Amino acid sequence: MTHTVKRDRMLVGGFALAVLTMPVWMTPLGAGYPDLLQRFAIYGIFAIGFNILFGLTGYLSFGHAVFLGVGSYAAVWSFKLLSMNVLPAVLCAMGVSGLFALAIGYISLRRSGIYFSILTLAFAQMAYNLAYSVLTPITNGETGLKIERVDPRLIDTWLSGPSTLIPSTNFFGMPMSGYSGFFFCAVLLIAAFYVALRIARSPFGAMLRAIKSNQNRLNYAGVHTRPYALTAFVISGIFAGLAGGLLAATDPLAGAERMQWTASGEVVLMTILGGVGTQLGPFVGAVIIKYAENIFSAFNPQTLHGIFAFLPDPIEDVVVTVTGLFVGNGWQLTLGTLFMLLVIFLPGGVIEGARRLGVLIGRKTAALRGRRSQPLGSALPASGAASE
Amino acid sequence: MALLQVKMVNKSFSGLTALNNVNLDVEEGSVHAIIGPNGAGKSTLLNCFVGRLTPDTGTVLFNGKSLIGLPPHRINQEGVVRVFQTPEIFADLSLYENVMIPTLARRDGHFALNAWSRADAQIKVREKVEHILDDVGLADARHVLAGTLSRGDKRRLELAMCLVQDPKLLLLDEPTAGMSRADTERTIELLKRIGERRITKIIIEHDMQVVFSLATRISVLAQGTVIAEGDPAAIKGDARVQEAYLGGAQF
């Protein structure tokens, strides 16, 4: 097989190195601050989990934000009732969202294709509306669920007595704001990446790929496909719950808008943009989208005028008006354009683009080397191509 | 007792009778060909064995156990394995993975949560897959995507996927349909080699050369009814068969 153990170890090692050094190499790109880096890591986890269902198994869920939202609510409740330590919060988030995924997946997976997508979308909208209105006692409706001074925090109170002010979230004393929060998320991202890789290389992962490829054949090969698909659904739900829990851990409030269909759509975009079914793609897509959201939405007419100041005034005004549509509140227009271009010209996503570029460069250098060595190696004209 | 016992099976589609009181006994170790003109109900009958269709009435017993109402994956786990008329393979997986998946399915049963070990590190599975791929002559292409194969090679791949499961009963639905003469010859040769493993087989086939070179027993189906059954020599000389097939002309 082509995926050797050694190559996978290098992949995980390289990924870990790249993620942990993000504060360094993201700074020149204008993204070297903890808030944004945290979001890269968190949405990376979300997208990696989503890819197990969508990329591997071929089931396109349009309601995955439910699990993100449920994870956030569960985590905030853990802060309120148990402790400001993020460990129980994250575990609660994963457990509760896993249960939700089991229930929603059990029903939705009775259908496949577009009907499955519609069912998940319907569940997501139901969950959103429930959280927004009916379940106000649990979700605090449109205000969102917050931690308060009067919360019981049973474990914290038991360990160190009641506190008079609102403590902040922490991991055994390590605060969840700033860089320590980022590194906490980054370690979990690397763990999530590793788990997803193990799953993809396992016999279980092979079954998931077979489901995507030809479910009928798999049935006649003696495999009961539904429990496989349901397990994939639950695993990806738990990943989403972890991401939701981390969102609450770094910023302890949870609102219904986290479950809205736009949030479900966003993770689909991330996965496709990066490369469906690839190991690195979902994280790359998550970074690109969160980066674009942050950078392009921060632009305003003043900054644009600054950028295009070298143009003659009338032209500058036209250019600023046009480009102004694509930034600020309209940053999604940029994202949409980018997404369309990518799907049309590079359906494999960014990772596929990088691979093609690699092949192209490899061929160019091979050709160069071949030309240089021609006087010596003309008796073996195909040696360059063969060694490639 | 016959390995597969089919008794009084009836199946009709919105009033149109496809199978009419079909009786069939397939003995262990035999190669049982089912022949008959188009629309005789051959594929319908096969579909009743693997759980794709449920007969309206009648019984299908395999090893004394009823197959009726069982889903396809359960029937497969019983040891009844089917090769499809149009090759059903995992087009965007490699040949190796195509054969590995049924091998794992046989080893682990219809569901196993085997998510932490490496699929390519299962030595026994690997040996089995390599051996079968070698057997059908596709070992050199093990890393090729299955979708890129020629039709004949896809057939052989699917055969490998079925053989690797060590079936007790192998159902072959027109294994040489649409193949060139040379490919047909190779397939016959391959099926004969499988015959040495003493796998009980049911073959649906139009090509009489294939039928008479492989079958140890032949049932002739016409308009949903078995009109004749016997060894190849008896069937060759049966007047009713020639009537049903070629309007009286010789094979």
Side-chain angles (χ1 to χ4, degrees), chain A residues 34-109:
Chain A
D35 264 19
L36 186 56
L37 292 173
Q38 281 168 9
R39 253 175 293 154
F40 288 167
I42 293 170
Y43 282 94
I45 294 173
F46 189 23
I48 285 172
F50 184 73
N51 190 47
I52 293 174
L53 183 67
F54 179 42
L56 227 51
T57 323
Y59 277 87
L60 174 55
S61 161
F62 252 114
H64 242 53
V66 174
F67 310 120
L68 195 72
V70 166
S72 289
Y73 282 122
V76 174
W77 273 110
S78 163
F79 293 140
K80 288 166 87 72
L81 298 178
L82 298 175
S83 164
M84 290 306 283
N85 192 319
V86 293
L87 188 65
V90 162
L91 291 176
C92 275
M94 289 165 76
V96 176
S97 56
L99 288 177
F100 268 74
L102 190 64
I104 293 177
Y106 183 79
I107 297 170
S108 303
L109 284 166

Side-chain angles (χ1 to χ4, degrees), chain A residues 39-40 42-45 47 270-271 273-274 281-291:
Chain A
R39 253 175 293 154
F40 288 167
I42 293 170
Y43 282 94
I45 294 173
M270 286 171 179
T271 313
L273 198 68
F283 174 66
V284 172
V287 169
I288 291 173
I289 287 187
K290 285 295 150 191
Y291 180 78

Side-chain angles (χ1 to χ4, degrees), chain A residues 232-257:
Chain A
F233 193 92
V234 171
I235 292 172
S236 78
I238 291 174
F239 273 57
L242 171 63
L246 288 175
L247 281 177
T250 51
D251 183 12
L253 55 90
E257 75 289 340

Side-chain angles (χ1 to χ4, degrees), chain B residues 50-72:
Chain B
V50 293
R52 178 169 273 193
L53 292 175
T54 312
D56 298 335
T57 60
T59 55
V60 177
L61 296 179
F62 177 72
N63 259 340
K65 188 180 172 184
S66 174
L67 296 182
I68 289 178
L70 291 185

Side-chain angles (χ1 to χ4, degrees), chain B residues 20-223:
Chain B
N20 185 11
N21 289 338
V22 172
N23 291 300
L24 194 71
D25 276 348
V26 178
E27 296 297 331
E28 190 150 8
S30 67
V31 178
H32 200 128
I34 299 174
I35 61 171
N38 282 327
K42 303 183 297 289
S43 290
T44 307
L45 188 60
L46 217 58
N47 284 333
C48 288
F49 299 162
V50 293
R52 178 169 273 193
L53 292 175
T54 312
D56 298 335
T57 60
T59 55
V60 177
L61 296 179
F62 177 72
N63 259 340
K65 188 180 172 184
S66 174
L67 296 182
I68 289 178
L70 291 185
H73 64 90
R74 292 277 300 277
I75 292 178
N76 173 285
Q77 293 287 353
E78 291 290 329
V80 181
V81 177
R82 176 185 187 171
V83 180
F84 284 82
Q85 195 172 343
T86 42
E88 287 268 351
I89 51 169
F90 303 114
D92 37 27
L93 302 183
S94 72
L95 264 61
Y96 181 88
E97 288 175 302
N98 265 270
V99 184
M100 178 184 78
I101 284 159
T103 316
L104 289 169
R106 180 54 82 243
R107 190 193 69 177
D108 297 344
H110 63 81
F111 175 70
L113 191 54
N114 210 340
W116 205 247
S117 59
R118 289 185 70 90
D120 54 4
Q122 327 269 314
I123 303 296
K124 276 192 182 149
V125 170
R126 193 186 185 123
E127 276 169 5
K128 225 174 158 184
V129 172
E130 301 277 352
H131 183 255
I132 290 282
L133 279 175
D134 209 37
D135 232 17
V136 298
L138 291 170
D140 293 338
R142 62 167 74 83
H143 295 311
V144 170
L145 291 188
T148 61
L149 293 180
S150 72
R151 197 183 163 91
D153 282 349
K154 280 181 186 164
R155 275 259 164 71
R156 288 197 289 159
L157 173 63
E158 199 189 6
L159 203 54
M161 293 163 73
C162 293
L163 287 176
V164 82
Q165 296 199 309
D166 296 324
K168 294 190 185 111
L169 175 63
L170 183 63
L171 309 175
L172 296 145
D173 194 350
E174 302 202 25
T176 63
M179 273 191 185
S180 67
R181 201 68 250 171
D183 266 345
T184 305
E185 297 286 344
R186 281 209 297 181
T187 310
I188 292 176
E189 189 260 334
L190 181 64
L191 289 172
K192 272 187 175 159
R193 267 196 288 135
I194 303 165
E196 289 161 15
R197 300 171 196 228
R198 305 284 297 163
I199 299 170
T200 313
K201 293 188 254 334
I202 296 180
I203 296 184
I204 290 184
E205 188 54 75
H206 274 297
D207 190 326
M208 287 306 133
Q209 192 203 339
V210 177
V211 170
F212 286 111
S213 58
L214 288 172
T216 58
R217 193 147 184 98
I218 299 176
S219 294
V220 185
L221 209 61
Q223 289 167 343

Side-chain angles (χ1 to χ4, degrees), chain A residues 297-320:
Chain A
S297 66
F299 277 31
N300 54 36
Q302 276 77 37
T303 43
L304 285 178
H305 275 290
I307 292 169
F308 296 110
F310 63 92
L311 293 167
D313 269 351
I315 301 175
E316 183 189 325
D317 287 342
V318 174
V319 171
V320 167

